[in-house]
Amino acid sequence: MTALRRWREADDDGTELPAATVRTAVRFTLEELAIGSPGNSVEVRVPPAAAVQAIAGPRHTRGTPPNVVETDMRTWLRLATGRVSWSEAVTTGAVRASGVRADLSSALPLFSR
């Protein structure tokens, strides 16, 4: 939570944070997604920080998952904190989502502004 708080402050004033702090914030928010929306039907990838499986539905265990969400670290943190909407991120191409369960709009934001 401390890393996320530091990221919010840096995002507000435009300062750069060490990459390790940003990765920690991403990992923390991905863990919160997995806790709040448990399951294995959607793989959420935020390279190079981490990936998790979340959202209830059919479990996937081999090969490329049928439901994948992928984005960069800044976009993910902006989604997790409500600084950008799911539809805006998908429309602008900042998020790539494939599969019928890959819409995370009901699970986001994880934290309010």
Side-chain angles (χ1 to χ4, degrees), residues 58-108:
R59 181 179 181 87
H60 176 78
T61 57
R62 296 181 87 147
T64 302
N67 301 288
V68 176
V69 172
E70 188 165 348
T71 191
D72 62 273
M73 293 192 296
R74 182 171 189 262
T75 299
W76 172 251
L77 291 172
R78 292 180 60 80
L79 283 164
T81 57
R83 293 173 183 228
V84 67
S85 72
W86 175 260
S87 61
E88 180 182 353
V90 170
T91 300
T92 62
V95 168
R96 290 165 306 288
S98 62
V100 296
R101 296 180 185 273
D103 181 343
L104 299 182
S105 60
S106 64
L108 297 171

